[in-house]
Amino acid sequence: MKTALGWHCALGIIPYRDAWRWQQQLVAERCHDPTARDVLLTLEHPPIYTLGQGATTAHIHFDPVATGIEVLRIERGGDVTYHCPGQLVAYPILNLRRHRCDLHWYLHQLEEVVIQTLGHYGLKGERVAGLTGVWVEGYKVAAIGIKVTRWITFHGIALNVVNDLKGFGRIVPCGIGDRPVGNLRQFCADIDLEDVRQQFVAAFGRVFALEFAPKALADLLIPVSS
C-alpha cells in the first residue's frame, strides 16, 4: 500500500470542549477540501465524562449537579466514558475515501493500532467479540468511540496509560458492567505516557499507511471570520 503524508499534532492537557471544537473545524475543512491531509491529534483531557449519542444516563452513578463534575453528551457512538490526565486520547481526522469506506474496518484498524502499541511493551492486547475496544488480561485499557461525516472521521481512542482509575467507579464504563477497566501502569510499572504517544503514532502510521510529520495545530485551523 502506498504511504500518504499526514499531520500529527502533539498537544498537552486540553479542555474537552476546545478539542471538540477543533475536531469539528478540521472535519468541516476536509468536507470542503477533500484533498487536505489526514490529521492525528494526540492529547490528554482534564477530568470529564462524555456520553455517546445512544448512551443512557442510567450508567451514571452520581449527580453531576451536586458534584459539579461535567458530563457532556456528544455525537460519537458508544456509551459513557471518563477522561482524565494520564490517559492518551487520539482523535484521527481521516478521509476514509483514501483508505476504505467501511466503518467496521475502521474500528478494527483502530483496535489494531492499540494492539500494536501494546505489543511494543510486551503486552498482549485482545479484542472481545461483540464489543469495541482493547483488553489486557481481562482489563479494558482502550475505549473507542467514533463519528463519521461524509467519510471524514473524528472522535477516536482513549488509551489508559498512567491515569487514576477511580473516576471510572462512578459510571458503568462503555455500558459494560461485568468487565473491569485497567491502565498500562498495572502491567508496566515504569511506563511513560510520552513514550506511549510515540509508539502509538508509529503504529497508527503503519496500520493506516500514513507518514506523519509534526504540525502545530494553529497552522492547520483556518481562522473563523467574526
Side-chain angles (χ1 to χ4, degrees):
M1 183 184 298
K2 184 178 179 181
T3 300
L5 298 176
W7 299 119
H8 171 229
C9 300
L11 306 169
I13 299 176
I14 304 296
Y16 191 93
R17 290 177 185 270
D18 289 347
W20 188 19
R21 184 178 69 253
W22 296 337
Q23 290 180 77
Q24 291 171 327
Q25 186 171 343
L26 290 167
V27 169
E29 290 166 4
R30 279 146 186 79
C31 288
H32 176 72
D33 177 13
T35 66
R37 288 188 189 182
D38 290 339
V39 176
L40 178 64
L41 309 180
T42 59
L43 48 92
E44 302 168 69
H45 286 308
I48 187 172
Y49 293 89
T50 64
L51 292 158
Q53 285 181 314
T56 171
T57 55
H59 290 158
I60 298 174
H61 295 165
F62 66 95
D63 183 346
V65 175
T67 60
I69 299 174
E70 186 172 18
V71 177
L72 188 62
R73 188 176 292 276
I74 55 177
E75 70 271 66
R76 65 161 171 81
D79 210 283
V80 60
T81 196
Y82 176 60
H83 297 298
C84 61
Q87 178 190 71
L88 179 65
V89 177
Y91 295 132
I93 315 298
L94 307 184
N95 185 342
L96 289 183
R97 291 187 179 88
R98 294 197 192 103
H99 301 276
R100 186 183 299 183
C101 295
D102 182 330
L103 298 188
H104 292 292
W105 173 88
Y106 178 57
L107 288 169
H108 189 275
Q109 297 302 91
L110 292 180
E111 291 170 341
E112 180 62 24
V113 171
V114 176
I115 289 169
Q116 289 193 20
T117 302
L118 299 180
H120 176 80
Y121 300 98
L123 301 176
K124 184 181 180 182
E126 297 179 317
R127 298 179 175 91
V128 174
L131 300 175
T132 301
V134 178
W135 282 257
V136 174
E137 296 183 15
Y139 289 85
K140 188 171 186 178
V141 298
I144 298 174
I146 65 167
K147 175 67 176 178
V148 177
T149 298
R150 292 169 56 183
W151 295 112
I152 310 295
T153 71
F154 61 122
H155 295 294
I157 300 172
L159 174 59
N160 296 329
V161 182
V162 295
N163 51 323
D164 187 339
L165 299 173
K166 292 179 183 176
F168 288 98
R170 295 174 177 265
I171 59 173
V172 180
C174 302
I176 305 170
D178 59 348
R179 294 178 182 271
V181 173
N183 65 24
L184 303 191
R185 185 165 53 189
Q186 292 175 234
F187 309 100
C188 296
D190 60 348
I191 202 158
D192 175 73
L193 188 139
E194 286 307 315
D195 188 66
V196 172
R197 187 202 303 258
Q198 293 177 22
Q199 298 304 324
F200 180 94
V201 173
F204 200 101
R206 289 192 299 271
V207 170
F208 286 95
L210 287 167
E211 181 180 341
F212 285 111
K215 192 75 168 178
L217 181 65
D219 293 336
L220 291 177
L221 295 174
I222 298 173
V224 178
S225 300
S226 57

